[in-house]
Structures are given as C-alpha cells and as structure tokens.
Amino acid sequence: MIKALIFDFDGTIIDTETAWYNVFKDAYAQYGVELSLATYAKCLGTNLQTFNPYTYLVTHHHIQLDVEAFQTSIQQRHAQWMETETLRPGILTLLQQAKEAGLKIGLASSSSRQWIDVYMDRLGIRHYFDCFCSADTVTNVKPDPELYLQALEQLGIEADEAMAIEDSPNGAQAAVAAGLYTVVIPNEITKQLPFNTKHHTVTALEQYTIHDLLAT
C-alpha cells in the first residue's frame, strides 16, 4: 500500500531543465559549438561531475573564456527565462489530492536546498512537503539511491510504501535502485532521452487523479 509520494524537483515540479539546456545551447552556439542533448543530458538530475557545461568549452574545445563571467551570464539568462515559468501541469492538483488522501509527501533532489527554497517560496508549495532531501544532506546525489533512501527514512516508511515522481533517466535510476515504484513525467527535454530502468510513464499528469496514479 502506497503511503507516500516522493518528488524530484528540477524538471518534475517546475521545468528548470528546458531553460538550462536552451540557454547553454544558445551560449555555445556563439562560440561555434553545438551542444547536443545527448551530451548535456549527462548532468540532468545529478551534479556537474560527469559533465560540467560551464567549463566544457575550455576543457574540451580549448576556447579561451572567463569561466566565472560565462557562468554569471548563463545564470542571469536562466533567471530571465524562469521568470514566467510555473508549476508543471497537474503538479498542484496532485499535491493537494495527496494531502487530502492522507499521504506523506517528500522531496528528493540533487539540487541544493538554497536553490529549492527559492522556488518553494515563489510557488507557495512548501507546506505540502513533510521532508526535504537535497544535495546538502547526502554524500551522493542521483543516480545514486541515497537521496531516496534518506527520504524513506525521514518519512518513516519502507520502499514498497512509496511512489517516486521523476522526469529524468538519472532520477529514475536512483528511485528504482532504492526500491520505489517509479512514475516518470518527462518534460520537453527528457522526453527525448532513453530510459533504461523499469518505470511507468505519464505524459499528461493533469489527466490523472491521485487515485488514477496509485492504480498505475
């Protein structure tokens, strides 16, 4: 019996990922470099250790640039893009219905708590969550299962009592490795990527009630 939902954040609750990719892709193009989605996807849902888009032009293309200034420019462009971005369709209804059904709700994100808090406050959804697990609270982020295992512990439930809501291959891999039934709601970017773990895909979350989702 499912007693809790554990959500990923970036790309799942709010689509920050499409903005990041488009901003980086446009910036790379200014240097004559095409940033493929396959390359960029290495950092989706995880940290920048596998692929760091801020330094890649220097380390792999040997382009001379001020990395700090480049990073500042990218972050400013992303912030501008995100000014009009809001919750993904169906997320608010799912949070409301999950609470009404008596389910616990957790967050398991590879992002920092500071980053998450900015959007939690802006979107007004902090009160729905019973625990927050982020890059600050674990040693290993996704695709390692540590974030999900920590969330399970904080919620006081077993893996077979929770459902993960994810959007990326790295996130789905982490949730499945932790033993959770995993529902993937891909966004504009991640719907183009291959998923190698067992999961259930929901392409239009707004068409599902909490009861529909629990029955998948």
Side-chain angles (χ1 to χ4, degrees):
M1 177 180 172
I2 297 297
K3 297 180 180 179
L5 301 183
I6 303 178
F7 287 80
D8 169 54
F9 183 69
D10 289 280
T12 300
I13 289 178
I14 183 172
D15 186 7
T16 57
E17 292 172 347
T18 297
W20 278 126
Y21 176 59
N22 285 326
V23 167
F24 274 113
K25 186 178 180 181
D26 290 346
Y28 275 46
Q30 294 176 10
Y31 291 92
V33 176
E34 180 180 356
L35 177 61
S36 70
L37 180 55
T39 297
Y40 183 74
K42 296 175 184 177
C43 68
L44 283 176
T46 183
N47 54 29
L48 303 184
Q49 291 184 1
T50 302
F51 171 70
N52 188 332
Y54 292 113
T55 61
Y56 189 73
L57 289 174
V58 175
T59 58
H60 287 73
H61 292 277
H62 309 294
I63 293 173
Q64 298 299 313
L65 59 81
D66 183 330
V67 173
E68 185 175 343
F70 181 70
Q71 181 169 338
T72 298
S73 174
I74 291 290
Q75 291 173 346
Q76 289 174 343
R77 293 184 208 176
H78 184 268
Q80 291 172 351
W81 187 298
M82 291 302 298
E83 286 177 358
T84 57
E85 198 70 32
T86 186
L87 290 169
R88 290 191 62 197
I91 289 293
L92 182 58
T93 298
L94 182 58
L95 289 171
Q96 292 170 337
Q97 291 181 350
K99 274 300 181 189
E100 291 169 0
L103 298 180
K104 295 180 179 180
I105 301 177
L107 189 81
S109 170
S110 293
S111 293
S112 70
R113 181 62 186 269
Q114 182 180 15
W115 171 263
I116 294 165
D117 282 346
V118 169
Y119 287 99
M120 283 286 160
D121 291 336
R122 198 187 94 186
L123 299 169
I125 58 172
R126 182 189 300 274
H127 62 285
Y128 287 107
F129 292 86
D130 299 297
C131 78
F132 295 87
C133 299
S134 64
D136 314 272
T137 64
V138 295
T139 302
N140 302 297
V141 295
K142 303 169 187 176
D144 190 280
E146 186 177 358
L147 278 162
Y148 277 103
L149 294 174
Q150 185 179 80
L152 291 172
E153 182 178 2
Q154 291 189 14
L155 293 172
I157 57 174
E158 300 297 325
D160 61 359
E161 296 175 320
M163 175 183 289
I165 311 296
E166 274 286 353
D167 76 294
S168 71
N170 280 323
Q173 182 178 334
V176 171
L180 280 72
Y181 179 78
T182 303
V183 171
V184 171
I185 49 171
N187 55 50
E188 288 301 310
I189 294 297
T190 59
K191 71 180 182 181
Q192 303 174 56
L193 301 175
F195 284 76
N196 299 317
T197 51
K198 184 178 180 180
H199 65 276
H200 180 78
T201 299
V202 171
T203 56
L205 183 63
E206 64 273 22
Q207 296 178 8
Y208 284 68
T209 67
I210 182 63
H211 302 293
D212 294 332
L213 203 62
L214 294 178
T216 59

